Amino acid sequence: MLGPPGAGKGTQAVRLAEQFHCADIATGDIFRANVAEGSQLGLLAQEYMDRGDLVPDEVVIAMVMDRLAEPDCQAGFVLDGFPRTVAQAEALDRRLAQLHTPLHAALNFEITEEELLRRLVGRAAQLHRSDDAEQTIRHRLEVFAIKTRPLIDYYMRRGLLVNVDAIGPIEDVTKRILADLEARGA
Ligand code: AMP
């Protein structure tokens, strides 16, 4: 799943994983759990997360590769928040080639900046996420534009990109995604 913070990737990932009975791998959630536990990974990730920066590629890649080796991933998986850089996408491609598991689709959540800011400011108030303060939100959107947006092109060139209109009720967005995936024979 590709899309800026606040586009609804997490919400839709949970619904898709239920629908397809597969694993939901949310890298942000894994990092937050590690921060809460005070693990070494959590301590390392926290400073990047609080600034709204990306955790270094080698750390994220190693973590996701370990996660993909767990048994529940054999039935397939939804990746929420990974890859976020071209280096991460290349590492994923290499691993999927080894596993003979092709990627079915890269869902690109399309949303206006105005709607994003509205949602993120609401989420900051509700969840008290330390990275949802307004200046951090703006920085995360910049990081997305610079580091993650090139992946739209990356997956378009591979014929895997599915653009999703991410504005509207949650159920409607899920229906749009399922219809698109069905059209692709996923
Ligand atoms: P998220 O919940 O997906 O918005 O992720 C929250 C934070 O976790 C991000 O702002 C990053 O600091 C870190 N993070 C999550 N996924 C990645 C990733 N694939 N690469 C680098 N950092 C990540």
Side-chain angles (χ1 to χ4, degrees), residues 4-6 9 26-29 31-32 45-57 60-61 63-64 80-85 88 123 129 131-132 140 143:
K9 301 186 301 293
T27 43
D29 286 350
F31 284 130
R32 278 184 290 277
Q46 185 162 28
E47 56 170 308
Y48 296 96
M49 295 173 80
D50 284 348
R51 287 201 302 263
D53 283 327
L54 295 183
V55 176
D57 280 337
V60 187
I61 290 169
M63 181 180 90
V64 173
D80 163 19
F82 182 94
R84 259 174 155 104
T85 64
Q88 293 178 17
R123 183 164 84 182
R129 269 180 59 158
D131 57 356
D132 273 346
R140 287 166 68 212
V143 170

Side-chain angles (χ1 to χ4, degrees), residues 14 17 22 26-27 32-33 45 49 51 53 61 69 73 92 94 97 116 126 130 152-153 164 173 176 178 181 185:
V14 171
C22 68
T27 43
R32 278 184 290 277
M49 295 173 80
R51 287 201 302 263
D53 283 327
I61 290 169
C73 291
L92 178 65
R94 282 194 296 274
L116 268 187
Q126 248 180 14
S130 57
I152 294 175
D153 218 46
V164 177
V173 177
R176 287 176 206 147
L178 292 175
L181 290 178

Side-chain angles (χ1 to χ4, degrees), residues 24-184:
D24 174 12
I25 304 176
T27 43
D29 286 350
I30 302 177
F31 284 130
R32 278 184 290 277
N34 275 277
V35 169
E37 276 169 24
S39 75
Q40 223 175 350
L41 179 63
L43 290 175
L44 190 152
Q46 185 162 28
E47 56 170 308
Y48 296 96
M49 295 173 80
D50 284 348
R51 287 201 302 263
D53 283 327
L54 295 183
V55 176
D57 280 337
E58 58 276 17
V59 175
V60 187
I61 290 169
M63 181 180 90
V64 173
M65 297 309 137
D66 282 353
R67 180 67 188 85
L68 288 177
E70 285 177 30
D72 64 326
C73 291
Q74 278 182 8
F77 43 83
V78 177
L79 284 168
D80 163 19
F82 182 94
R84 259 174 155 104
T85 64
V86 170
Q88 293 178 17
E90 288 170 350
L92 178 65
D93 276 348
R94 282 194 296 274
R95 172 55 63 93
L96 294 181
Q98 280 168 358
L99 296 174
H100 306 290
T101 309
L103 211 57
H104 282 110
L107 302 176
N108 175 34
F109 283 57
E110 295 186 305
I111 186 163
T112 58
E113 184 152 332
E114 193 189 0
E115 172 69 10
L116 268 187
L117 286 171
R118 202 184 59 75
R119 288 187 188 182
L120 287 166
V121 171
R123 183 164 84 182
Q126 248 180 14
L127 298 181
H128 304 292
R129 269 180 59 158
S130 57
D131 57 356
D132 273 346
E134 192 166 342
Q135 74 272 30
T136 316
I137 292 171
R138 289 193 188 280
H139 182 58
R140 287 166 68 212
L141 292 177
E142 278 165 18
V143 170
F144 171 79
I146 296 166
K147 303 234 168 115
T148 309
R149 197 167 284 148
L151 293 182
I152 294 175
D153 218 46
Y154 182 96
Y155 287 114
M156 192 172 350
R157 277 189 270 117
R158 285 160 177 74
L160 290 171
L161 197 75
V162 175
N163 288 317
V164 177
D165 172 3
I167 300 185
I170 290 170
E171 303 76 50
D172 291 2
V173 177
T174 309
K175 278 188 202 144
R176 287 176 206 147
I177 295 173
L178 292 175
D180 284 337
L181 290 178
E182 200 173 337
R184 296 178 65 87

